[in-house]
Amino acid sequence: MPFSVVEFYDKHSNYQCGYCKQSDSCHSYGMWAYKLSCEDYQDLIDRGWRRSGSYCYKPIMDVTCCPSYTIKCDALNFRLNKSHKKIIKRMNKFLRDGKKESNEEENSESVGEIGASNHEHIETPHMPTKPIDLECLEPAMEIAKETTETNKARSKDLSENVSEASKPSHGMANPALSDVPKKAKLMRIARKRDKLQKKGVAGEELERLMQAGKGHNKEKSLEDFLSETPKENEPSAHRLTIVTLPTGGKKFQESLDISYALYVKYQTSIHSDPPGSVADYLDFLVKSPLKVLVIHLLLMYFGSFHQQYWLDDRLIAVGVIDILPLCISSVYFFYDPEFRFLSLGTYGSLRELAFTRARHRVNPSITSYYMGFYIHSCAKMRYKSSLQPSHLLCPEAYTWHLLDKNILSKLDARKYNRLNEDQSVEDAQKPTEQDLQDVLLLVGRSYLRYSEYTLVAQDVPDVSTYAQLVGKVCAKRMMLYGV
């Protein structure tokens, strides 16, 4: 029994752009998802679609003012840059001693901060006025089960206590002096010796451990930096706990008022936008056409989730994510402006990357971290390219291409580009005439193939545009409503 039910809206044109602010320069295709399987949504975002609540949209790349390229980061091969390391260390230091470290980037952080706005601005043309009754389609869809606190193995994975601490920073009077590297090295050695001595290590064992690793320096991973935290019995000023909750679960409902209050604070302070009502918040960031799918034995779960960042007993940030068969897809990230000095948007993206890698260990097919759209023509949106290696989706061939200097030079020269230089490569999901006959339509309380529908209906809709945009596999698997 098919799981996904969608209503195709065709073109939505001449609405205001959220990036260049032109009043009538945006163009996209729209689709309302009543229900959407995680597998189908994975296929859709790999064809340039994104969701805003239950509304899905696909920019018309060659005519819209700010072409939006789907971007994903290769999570397994991700490498930290100096800025990322600095942000993690700042958080660690704050958690350890509670002191606010000066941040020269604090005043410049805005919507351009990584993770702060992975959701793209889109005006929905209209909302369905008559919700369809899908209860008759439920028997074969009994897959969504709420995460329970009694399952210790899963709750350990969904809720990670990640109290952080970093090593003390040491200022340098003059970084240009030639002996600075030597001083830094000596300080690192001293810190290592001091740490071992505090653990009770002495004598020959101490010297052996001090010699271990010399000449075998290994680059620290993302997890290494994030794990630099005080032990349970060590004092620290703060504890940071990240809890992953399905948006339809009881635990999520208990903190809904708190998360909405944080969202209001973020929207008004950071974006200077009216936050809207609770209902608007629910439609935007809570309601999702994706049902949570939990496979108990393998501890695999998919669907829409909120990752709540609790500093002691205070909610300071929320990351909205979709867990899909091949990736973690970032939807939105908002935080308490009071803690802006911690670069929480960027920190959140690094945490979501680490979460992607953790999910890969349970489900090896999850290898990528999707960041929404990359808009090269909008300077404040280029920050996503700092997570490397990343790839952009070709809007014509639907193939992935490394975001390197070659691609960047193309985008510098022209806003819209076919990224695949081989003109012979076509869309592998382009439907044939026979594929169109197999498009699935929801009619009343049943469903028919397009070929069957044409035999009984007088007013036959054109499904070719819809099938081309969603691809032949989804066109045969999802039910098209509203014909």
Side-chain angles (χ1 to χ4, degrees):
M1 175 71 70
F3 177 78
S4 300
V5 179
V6 300
E7 182 178 358
F8 182 57
Y9 292 159
D10 207 343
K11 289 184 180 180
H12 175 40
S13 298
N14 304 115
Y15 59 91
Q16 184 179 20
C17 177
Y19 304 105
C20 68
K21 303 303 180 182
Q22 294 184 61
S23 61
D24 59 354
S25 57
C26 264
H27 308 267
S28 64
Y29 288 98
M31 184 168 63
W32 187 266
Y34 294 93
K35 289 191 176 182
L36 196 59
S37 73
C38 294
E39 182 181 11
D40 287 339
Y41 186 50
Q42 176 72 69
D43 288 349
L44 288 175
I45 63 174
D46 284 336
R47 294 186 65 78
W49 290 85
R50 293 289 292 178
R51 75 172 185 90
S52 173
S54 293
Y55 181 73
C56 300
Y57 59 100
K58 175 179 169 63
I60 305 176
M61 298 276 284
D62 56 343
V63 297
T64 198
C65 54
C66 297
S68 305
Y69 297 85
T70 299
I71 182 172
K72 68 176 181 179
C73 177
D74 179 357
L76 304 188
N77 293 305
F78 170 72
R79 292 294 181 269
L80 292 159
N81 61 32
K82 290 183 179 180
S83 177
H84 299 149
K85 295 175 183 178
K86 183 177 181 181
I87 288 170
I88 296 176
K89 289 179 178 180
R90 184 187 301 131
M91 172 65 84
N92 293 343
K93 180 175 174 60
F94 171 72
L95 292 170
R96 190 197 65 202
D97 58 29
K99 294 181 180 179
K100 176 180 176 180
E101 185 179 282
S102 61
N103 176 9
E104 63 273 15
E105 299 173 355
E106 181 179 346
N107 295 327
S108 63
E109 284 183 354
S110 62
V111 67
E113 184 189 7
I114 293 178
S117 185
N118 284 325
H119 169 80
E120 317 306 327
H121 176 83
I122 182 76
E123 295 182 4
T124 56
H126 66 275
M127 303 275 281
T129 55
K130 295 181 179 179
I132 57 178
D133 180 13
L134 298 177
E135 295 306 315
C136 59
L137 303 175
E138 288 295 335
M141 305 178 190
E142 194 63 31
I143 61 173
K145 296 187 181 297
E146 184 174 322
T147 303
T148 62
E149 296 182 46
T150 57
N151 189 326
K152 295 183 179 180
R154 186 181 304 118
S155 62
K156 180 181 179 181
D157 188 71
L158 288 176
S159 176
E160 51 172 329
N161 190 320
V162 288
S163 306
E164 305 291 350
S166 70
K167 299 172 183 177
S169 59
H170 297 269
M172 295 295 183
N174 187 352
L177 295 177
S178 60
D179 61 344
V180 166
K182 295 180 181 179
K183 289 183 178 180
K185 182 177 180 180
L186 291 174
M187 287 189 290
R188 287 196 298 270
I189 294 173
R191 287 197 297 267
K192 180 178 179 181
R193 181 178 291 274
D194 183 60
K195 186 176 181 180
L196 290 171
Q197 288 175 333
K198 286 182 178 180
K199 291 182 177 181
V201 181
E204 294 183 1
E205 179 65 10
L206 174 62
E207 296 308 318
R208 184 186 69 79
L209 292 175
M210 287 298 299
Q211 293 297 321
K214 279 192 174 182
H216 299 86
N217 292 332
K218 182 181 178 181
E219 182 181 0
K220 292 170 65 175
S221 68
L222 171 61
E223 289 77 10
D224 291 334
F225 278 95
L226 292 175
S227 65
E228 291 180 349
T229 173
K231 302 295 184 286
E232 289 297 325
N233 59 346
E234 294 178 351
S236 63
H238 300 290
R239 297 285 176 180
L240 180 67
T241 305
I242 301 176
V243 182
T244 302
L245 298 173
T247 55
K250 181 179 178 181
K251 292 289 290 183
F252 174 81
Q253 293 298 325
E254 291 174 356
S255 59
L256 178 58
D257 291 343
I258 299 174
S259 64
Y260 171 65
L262 179 62
Y263 172 74
V264 169
K265 190 175 183 181
Y266 171 80
Q267 288 295 108
T268 54
S269 178
I270 300 297
H271 293 293
S272 300
D273 287 338
S277 64
V278 176
D280 294 329
Y281 172 68
L282 293 175
D283 288 340
F284 176 33
L285 294 177
V286 177
K287 292 180 181 178
S288 168
L290 306 176
K291 274 196 172 182
V292 175
L293 166 63
V294 177
I295 303 176
H296 290 277
L297 295 178
L298 299 178
L299 298 178
M300 293 165 56
Y301 49 91
F302 304 96
S304 298
F305 298 81
H306 278 206
Q307 290 193 312
Q308 298 179 340
Y309 292 64
W310 292 88
L311 183 67
D312 303 322
D313 296 323
R314 180 175 177 179
L315 183 65
I316 63 169
V318 174
V320 184
I321 61 171
D322 291 329
I323 303 179
L324 303 175
L326 304 180
C327 72
I328 303 299
S329 176
S330 177
V331 179
Y332 204 72
F333 192 93
F334 57 96
Y335 56 87
D336 191 330
E338 182 180 332
F339 297 91
R340 192 172 181 175
F341 67 95
L342 291 173
S343 304
L344 285 173
T346 304
Y347 184 81
S349 277
L350 296 172
R351 277 288 174 188
E352 288 174 359
L353 264 166
F355 182 73
T356 304
R357 289 151 68 118
R359 295 314 307 155
H360 169 75
R361 292 193 286 273
V362 177
N363 182 3
S365 66
I366 295 179
T367 60
S368 300
Y369 173 57
Y370 282 54
M371 298 175 278
F373 289 135
Y374 175 76
I375 301 99
H376 189 75
S377 57
C378 181
K380 67 181 181 181
M381 294 300 291
R382 296 183 185 180
Y383 64 88
K384 295 181 183 181
S385 63
S386 69
L387 297 180
Q388 288 291 342
S390 283
H391 297 78
L392 298 186
L393 184 69
C394 174
E396 296 180 14
Y398 298 107
T399 50
W400 292 100
H401 302 270
L402 181 65
L403 181 54
D404 56 11
K405 292 181 179 179
N406 179 46
I407 294 293
L408 291 174
S409 63
K410 283 185 176 183
L411 297 176
D412 283 335
R414 192 174 61 172
K415 290 193 294 185
Y416 174 76
N417 281 271
R418 174 192 165 95
L419 302 180
N420 194 317
E421 296 180 350
D422 187 348
Q423 297 297 321
S424 66
V425 177
E426 297 183 351
D427 174 15
Q429 287 292 316
K430 183 177 180 179
T432 64
E433 285 298 323
Q434 180 57 49
D435 293 325
L436 295 180
Q437 300 303 310
D438 292 332
V439 170
L440 202 58
L441 308 178
L442 177 61
V443 182
R445 288 180 172 269
S446 184
Y447 60 93
L448 298 172
R449 296 293 175 185
Y450 184 73
S451 58
E452 299 169 330
Y453 184 76
T454 57
L455 298 176
V456 298
Q458 295 181 348
D459 185 15
V460 179
D462 179 12
V463 297
S464 58
T465 300
Y466 161 77
Q468 181 177 347
L469 293 171
V470 303
K472 61 184 181 183
V473 171
C474 279
K476 297 177 183 180
R477 205 164 54 198
M478 301 190 305
M479 288 189 292
L480 178 61
Y481 170 72
V483 295

